[in-house]
Amino acid sequence: IVGLNPRSVLVTGSNRGLGLQLIWHLIGKSNPPKWIFATCRDPDGPHAQDLKDLAAKNLQIIIITLDTTDPSTVKAAAAKVTDHLKGAGLNLLINNAGILNRSSLETETPESMAETYRTNVIGPMIVVQAFLPLLRKAAQEIPLEGMSCSKAAIINISSEAGSISSIFEWQWGHIIAYRCSKSALNMLSKCQSLHLAEDEILCVALHPGWIQTDMAGSVGSPPLTTEQSLQTILNTLGRLSEKNTGTFVNWEGNLIPW
């Protein structure tokens, strides 16, 4: 499997920022996926208009309500995706939905910490649980040995801010809850990779780069444009294999220390 050629992709938090850019770049490929499931909390809200405009022009994009903090919407989304796939599996699941609250060690609150974990850690956990049957089905459909994002893969969008040894951009923001949640997401990714190795489902935690989105811009001046980052991310996703499962990499595919 050369390059990134999944028949079906699901992206959470796809109404703006990195998620929307991922949808935009996937649909712009010379051979776009047959199904692109773009999920977000409120498809009818004002923040989803750009996504709706894109879906109106591209029939492969199917917008589905999914709030990663609400298990009932996750289950309902999995049922809808199953219906659309008509017996086929889901090749690529990108857990992108995430939140960032500004906080220091002294101003962080239990409520903010709990809310951040619900979205950034528990969310990706329950999304994978719900879509696992479809990922397993995809892995079984493609008889090739090994792992790839075109076969069956979970990509958890993490952040170098979750690296305990590199302490990324501390001077820009302490963002305690966010950092802790991304460290926890990295461990979740590792656990998923160990549990799903026999199924040949690739599991990787990916730092997309500090790029110019609403969320990243709230903490400083990101050096990367989304265009630079996104093209490189798609190239990296196309190159990931069983050698990378259970790892924490950046947008170029280079290892980041835990």
Side-chain angles (χ1 to χ4, degrees), residues 30 51 55 61 94 103 114 118 124-125 165 188-189 194 197 210 252:
S30 57
L51 177 60
I61 299 174
I94 301 179
S103 63
R118 265 197 304 277
M125 180 189 80
S165 46
L188 178 67
S189 303
L194 295 168
W210 194 22
E252 295 175 312

Side-chain angles (χ1 to χ4, degrees), residues 12-215:
T12 66
S14 62
N15 57 311
R16 56 188 201 175
L18 180 66
L20 182 61
Q21 290 291 330
L22 278 164
I23 302 293
W24 198 78
H25 278 76
L26 283 165
I27 204 72
K29 277 166 50 64
S30 57
N31 55 337
K34 183 176 178 184
W35 295 283
I36 299 175
F37 300 103
T39 80
C40 60
R41 271 186 297 206
D42 183 13
D44 297 319
H47 294 304
Q49 194 55 53
D50 289 345
L51 177 60
K52 285 202 285 199
D53 292 346
L54 192 59
K57 298 190 201 105
N58 298 279
L59 296 179
Q60 298 103 317
I61 299 174
I62 298 149
I63 301 176
I64 292 178
T65 303
L66 190 160
D67 179 347
T68 60
T69 66
D70 181 350
S72 65
T73 71
V74 176
K75 283 201 179 89
K80 282 190 179 144
V81 170
T82 303
D83 286 346
H84 276 286
L85 288 172
K86 297 180 172 56
L90 175 67
N91 301 113
L92 178 58
L93 168 61
I94 301 179
N95 269 316
N96 165 73
I99 59 170
L100 183 154
N101 292 328
R102 297 298 303 271
S103 63
S104 73
L105 195 65
E106 296 184 46
T107 60
E108 188 55 79
T109 65
E111 295 75 23
S112 160
M113 186 67 109
E115 181 195 21
T116 304
Y117 263 69
R118 265 197 304 277
T119 301
N120 294 6
V121 187
I122 299 169
M125 180 189 80
I126 62 174
V127 167
V128 166
Q129 287 172 336
F131 286 93
L132 200 45
L134 291 173
L135 288 160
R136 283 199 169 113
K137 192 175 270 189
Q140 289 155 10
E141 280 166 358
I142 298 175
L144 292 171
E145 285 293 308
M147 301 180 186
S148 80
C149 286
S150 302
K151 179 176 174 177
I154 297 159
I155 302 296
N156 292 320
I157 299 297
S158 185
S159 168
E160 194 174 347
S163 165
I164 290 169
S165 46
S166 79
I167 299 298
F168 183 67
E169 299 291 353
W170 179 258
Q171 72 277 15
W172 282 112
H174 296 180
I175 50 174
I176 303 297
Y178 182 77
R179 288 180 189 278
C180 293
S181 74
K182 292 303 187 180
S183 295
L185 178 64
N186 289 348
M187 178 53 100
L188 178 67
S189 303
K190 186 70 174 178
C191 294
Q192 288 169 341
S193 76
L194 295 168
H195 183 67
L196 300 174
E198 281 183 22
D199 293 296
E200 296 195 332
I201 297 172
L202 177 73
C203 302
V204 171
L206 178 87
H207 167 57
W210 194 22
I211 53 179
Q212 291 160 11
T213 61
D214 293 344
M215 186 163 84

